[in-house]
Amino acid sequence: MMGGSPNVALAQELATPQDGFSMRVVPGAQFDKLQLPKISLPEGNTPDSTTPPTGAIMSPTAPAAGITPYADPRSFQNSPLANQNELLLEAQLTADSPVLSQGLVWRVFSPEPNAEDKLPLIATATGGTASFSLPEGSYLVHVSFGRAGATKRVTIRNASRHEKLILDAGGLKLSAKLPDGHEISDKFLRFSIYENEDEGSERSLIVPNIKPDTIVRLNSGTYHVVSNYGNANAVIRAEIVVNAGKLTEATVEHNGAEITMKLLRDVGGEALADTSWNIVNTNGDIVYESVSAYASLVLAAGDYIAVAKNKDRLYQREFTVESGKNEDIDVFAKAENEVDSDQVD
């Protein structure tokens, strides 16, 4: 099932709270102190009125002949921000939605690649609206909101500038249930989101290992979602559309159950240690392998053969998994269950 909520509510729900706002500028640290050399005089000498001692700083009111007076560090031209302009940046989910106040990551790059053929990162900021002081020039500005992002080229001249970036993004929240409506334990359930590539091409993984009911921020579009119930063959795939400015909630239905396999000598006995397990489906494909006294797993509904190996002996049992029916499957180490290795593919 899928549904949408208003833009204002979505912006509030999608935003991840941040503790305030922070910014750091990567290159070019400013020095706030000038380390002056110590003034030393030869022993027994005293300075006269015309020759400065070694290491002395010349006074601007009495420069030596032929030397230009130094620039006053307090002058406007020598201020670190004298030739810089404010760039104010805001982001929205859509052109009609409110400005996002939290959850954004801003990055400002130089558009010219460096020697490593990468765009140099100039400054970053997190939170909502961001403000940067930058010299005149062209920049590439990128904003990310979860897995959604937008990039814009900005040129700054001798004036402040205000830019809004439209993310064209929404949210996706995924969950799963069994056919009878019962919930599936979160510890067995995970989702992965892939790009929805054309048929036959390899899909790019966008977000792996997502817990149920987690809101994932994505650019609008169609995505390929994979839901794993356990780590064997209980897998559901679906194509889901994310709309800009809306939260899409999707629930998939799994047909599977939780199974525990044990190799026993007698009914009610202890599980035999150092047992290796192969679970084979009706097509002869191995869907699960492990080495343990207990083999706990989730299987899709269907018919299977359990093959247990202990001390070079093989035992097998056929069984059926019914959706939502969790149970123990006991294999007994008896002669009637023993098979030769050449009987097992």
Side-chain angles (χ1 to χ4, degrees):
M1 297 186 299
M2 301 183 185
S5 58
N7 287 345
V8 174
L10 177 63
Q12 294 173 347
E13 187 171 5
L14 292 186
T16 301
Q18 302 284 336
D19 294 330
F21 176 88
S22 62
M23 181 175 74
R24 66 184 180 91
V25 177
V26 177
Q30 298 293 331
F31 295 95
D32 58 358
K33 293 183 179 180
L34 177 63
Q35 299 295 327
L36 303 179
K38 294 183 180 180
I39 299 175
S40 58
L41 296 174
E43 186 177 352
N45 292 348
T46 58
D48 57 32
S49 60
T50 59
T51 304
T54 302
I57 302 301
M58 300 298 296
S59 168
T61 58
I67 299 180
T68 303
Y70 75 89
D72 187 347
R74 295 168 296 179
S75 68
F76 174 79
Q77 291 80 1
N78 283 309
S79 170
L81 301 179
N83 298 314
Q84 307 225 348
N85 307 278
E86 183 188 29
L87 175 60
L88 185 66
L89 299 171
E90 294 178 329
Q92 300 167 259
L93 292 176
T94 68
D96 299 326
S97 64
V99 172
L100 293 168
S101 60
Q102 296 174 336
L104 300 174
V105 178
W106 295 94
R107 294 179 177 88
V108 180
F109 297 88
S110 168
E112 300 300 328
N114 57 21
E116 299 176 350
D117 201 28
K118 296 181 179 179
L119 298 180
L121 177 63
I122 295 174
T124 63
T126 59
T129 300
S131 177
F132 298 94
S133 292
L134 299 168
E136 292 185 40
S138 292
Y139 303 90
L140 287 177
V141 176
H142 180 269
V143 60
S144 60
F145 186 54
R147 297 291 175 165
T151 303
K152 189 173 186 179
R153 189 184 186 99
V154 176
T155 299
I156 299 177
R157 294 184 172 84
N158 190 21
S160 60
R161 182 154 183 174
H162 180 198
E163 290 287 341
K164 286 186 178 181
L165 276 71
I166 307 301
L167 287 159
D168 186 32
L172 178 60
K173 185 164 72 170
L174 300 164
S175 61
K177 64 179 182 179
L178 295 170
D180 59 5
H182 282 96
E183 299 293 329
I184 298 173
S185 174
D186 287 357
K187 70 178 181 179
F188 292 114
L189 192 60
R190 287 295 182 271
F191 297 91
S192 296
I193 300 176
Y194 294 81
E195 290 183 354
N196 190 37
E197 300 291 347
D198 295 332
E199 189 73 22
S201 61
E202 184 176 351
R203 302 179 191 274
S204 298
L205 177 63
I206 299 174
V207 195
N209 200 34
I210 305 167
K211 295 181 180 180
D213 297 319
T214 299
I215 295 176
V216 182
R217 306 155 183 160
L218 298 164
N219 289 107
S220 63
T222 302
Y223 295 89
H224 183 80
V225 175
V226 178
S227 176
N228 289 87
Y229 179 22
N231 58 359
N233 66 339
V235 180
I236 298 294
R237 298 174 180 271
E239 309 299 321
I240 298 177
V241 177
V242 175
N243 296 305
K246 296 181 180 180
L247 175 63
T248 299
E249 299 183 60
T251 301
V252 300
E253 187 175 277
H254 275 284
N255 285 283
E258 299 162 26
I259 304 298
T260 300
M261 312 290 302
K262 293 179 290 183
L263 179 64
L264 308 175
R265 294 199 182 279
D266 298 291
V267 176
E270 292 292 328
L272 300 180
D274 299 323
T275 299
S276 61
W277 294 92
N278 283 343
I279 309 300
V280 183
N281 63 17
T282 54
N283 295 325
D285 301 321
I286 296 176
V287 297
Y288 182 82
E289 295 178 285
S290 75
V291 178
S292 60
Y294 296 86
S296 296
L297 68 154
V298 175
L299 289 172
D303 296 323
Y304 299 91
I305 299 174
V307 180
K309 181 178 181 181
N310 185 271
K311 295 181 178 179
D312 296 326
R313 292 179 179 270
L314 295 175
Y315 307 92
Q316 74 175 28
R317 174 185 169 178
E318 297 181 2
F319 66 99
T320 298
V321 174
E322 298 179 22
S323 183
K325 186 179 179 181
N326 302 333
E327 61 179 330
D328 293 344
I329 303 295
D330 296 333
V331 179
F332 292 98
K334 302 289 187 179
E336 60 267 26
N337 297 327
E338 189 171 355
V339 295
D340 295 330
S341 58
D342 58 0
Q343 294 180 257
V344 181
D345 288 334

